[in-house]
Amino acid sequence: MVQLRNRTDGQVEQVQPQAVIDAYMRNFIIYGIEGLLMTLTNFPIVLSVLRFKSLREQKEFIIVAGLAFADGFNGFAFLVASIGRINQLINGDAFVLKSRWHCGTTVWNISWTMANNLAGLMLLVISVDRLLAVSLPIRYFKFTKRYAMLMVGGAFLYIGILSSLSFVLSYQYQVPEFPAYCLVGMGMNNGFYEYFVMFHLVTSFGSVILYAPVLLMLRKTMRNGMAATDANKMARLVKVTTTLGIHTFFTFLFNMIPDLLILYWKVSDQTPFYMMLNLNAMVNIFIYTLRFKELRKGLKAFFTCQEKVGVTPVFTYTNSVQQSQRKHTRSILISNNK
């Protein structure tokens, strides 16, 4: 039972020994370092795809950018939480009791409420996208970037609605009950927090499990000679699917395993497992730049402030193709009418 005391400013705070305060300080510093790395390794991917049309025209890069945004936003939450909590410790305000509503509306918990589950959902979106690509390759080649924008936009919309519900539910809790450093669960309704945790688990685990049939379908597609229909597009399909499969493996290694350890290995300090959860997001930029020459060129062009990046889309049935086909059809109709 934590001892409480009344402060001269009328607030109530928990009394914590210096050893506990020092441990929190160390953890928050590590959170800040991880948050900074997650931000710096993911937002450049998003900004490169947004800036260069040759990258925006390729639907797989739009989906990859959606995941990178979620991971970068998650890192931003860690960074802001670190700065805010360290400042509270220095000022002696970290253990002042605050309401659940107050905790739910801190900048870092607002960010986490959206980013954490968005990252899990985007992992699932990637696996669903790959399943469509390998099971219906000919039809998938004709999908435009609008398809990818709908997939990513749908995920963002769902998480936005979900997050709004969390804030509505926490508004009823106005009584001070949690320390001001405000862990994410301290700002949520208990039932919603259980859903919040399970949603991330189910979507992350689902993305990994779903990739097994993706790889099987890819082998079947290649074995049936589908590569002969369009060698360049099929080679691209294999490369993208393999690359995202590598990402899925890291999801298993740095997401599923720590989650299982947190759930079933009840050690006194689970902080290392929580920190492992972020390693998956940090390797994104290395996987994508090593495997995707176009994205590597895009990042180089972005950091060197170039106006264009020399990338030729291979895997995209673009809107310009559809427009040219429509123009050709109209010209035929006009000629016939004459």
Side-chain angles (χ1 to χ4, degrees):
M1 187 70 179
V2 179
Q3 183 181 351
L4 302 177
R5 70 181 173 195
N6 293 318
R7 298 190 355 159
T8 56
D9 58 6
Q11 299 185 87
V12 179
E13 71 175 351
Q14 295 178 348
V15 179
Q16 296 286 1
Q18 189 60 43
V20 171
I21 296 174
D22 292 341
Y24 275 109
M25 180 67 80
R26 285 193 299 271
N27 289 342
F28 295 157
I29 290 173
I30 295 173
Y31 284 167
I33 295 171
E34 287 196 331
L36 181 62
L37 291 174
M38 290 167 69
T39 304
L40 293 179
T41 55
N42 283 281
F43 278 155
I45 297 173
V46 181
L47 296 174
S48 298
V49 174
L50 289 176
R51 180 174 180 180
F52 299 114
K53 183 179 178 181
S54 55
L55 297 179
R56 292 198 308 271
E57 290 293 327
Q58 302 188 62
K59 52 184 173 285
E60 69 271 3
F61 287 156
I62 293 175
I63 295 175
V64 163
L67 175 61
F69 176 83
D71 287 335
F73 194 17
N74 202 18
F76 171 78
F78 272 92
L79 181 59
V80 172
S82 173
I83 295 171
R85 289 168 174 173
I86 289 173
N87 185 61
Q88 288 176 337
L89 286 172
I90 292 173
N91 294 331
D93 296 326
F95 300 99
V96 174
L97 296 186
K98 297 293 183 180
S99 69
R100 196 172 299 215
W101 167 246
H102 174 90
C103 284
T105 53
T106 56
V107 176
W108 55 86
N109 278 341
I110 290 174
S111 301
W112 266 323
T113 302
M114 293 185 286
N116 188 68
N117 279 347
L118 180 59
L121 187 55
M122 282 307 305
L123 287 170
L124 187 60
V125 166
I126 281 180
S127 293
V128 171
D129 170 72
R130 290 298 89 199
L131 186 61
L132 289 173
V134 298
S135 57
L136 302 168
I138 303 303
R139 185 177 298 179
Y140 184 83
F141 292 151
K142 296 182 179 180
F143 288 173
T144 67
K145 64 179 182 181
R146 183 178 300 176
Y147 147 82
M149 293 174 68
L150 286 173
M151 293 277 281
V152 175
F156 276 58
L157 178 62
Y158 179 76
I159 295 302
I161 294 172
L162 199 67
S163 302
S164 300
L165 176 61
S166 173
F167 303 139
V168 170
L169 291 174
S170 65
Y171 181 75
Q172 61 186 305
Y173 299 98
Q174 300 285 346
V175 177
E177 55 181 323
F178 295 112
Y181 60 78
C182 292
L183 300 178
V184 65
M186 296 174 181
M188 294 181 180
N189 170 279
N190 289 334
F192 186 88
Y193 180 65
E194 292 179 6
Y195 175 81
F196 175 83
V197 173
M198 289 307 300
F199 183 87
H200 183 78
L201 284 173
V202 170
T203 51
S204 300
F205 282 38
S207 70
V208 174
I209 294 170
L210 192 60
Y211 225 84
V214 167
L215 295 176
L216 291 174
M217 287 296 300
L218 178 63
R219 291 185 61 184
K220 181 179 178 181
T221 300
M222 298 303 296
R223 191 166 54 245
N224 289 343
M226 292 297 295
T229 60
D230 193 321
N232 288 336
K233 289 181 179 180
M234 288 305 300
R236 180 69 169 179
L237 174 65
V238 172
K239 185 173 185 178
V240 172
T241 305
T242 304
T243 300
L244 295 178
I246 294 171
H247 181 275
T248 302
F249 170 75
F250 280 103
T251 300
F252 169 77
L253 198 62
F254 297 129
N255 201 297
M256 286 183 66
I257 292 178
D259 268 336
L260 290 172
L261 291 173
I262 290 169
L263 281 175
Y264 298 111
W265 192 12
K266 302 300 182 182
V267 294
S268 57
D269 185 10
Q270 294 187 327
T271 300
F273 304 144
Y274 282 104
M275 292 175 179
M276 282 179 64
L277 292 172
N278 299 325
L279 294 177
N280 184 50
M282 295 180 199
V283 300
N284 285 347
I285 195 168
F286 303 107
I287 297 174
Y288 299 147
T289 54
L290 287 174
R291 297 283 300 178
F292 293 134
K293 180 175 66 176
E294 305 96 319
L295 196 53
R296 186 165 61 249
K297 288 183 176 180
L299 286 167
K300 182 179 178 181
F302 174 76
F303 284 117
T304 55
C305 300
Q306 298 178 28
E307 293 298 323
K308 294 182 179 180
V309 55
V311 175
T312 303
V314 177
F315 193 56
T316 306
Y317 189 80
T318 64
N319 289 326
S320 61
V321 175
Q322 293 179 323
Q323 291 169 1
S324 64
Q325 289 178 345
R326 286 196 291 268
K327 289 179 181 178
H328 180 66
T329 303
R330 282 198 298 269
S331 65
I332 294 175
L333 292 173
I334 291 171
S335 299
N336 291 338
N337 289 333
K338 289 180 178 179

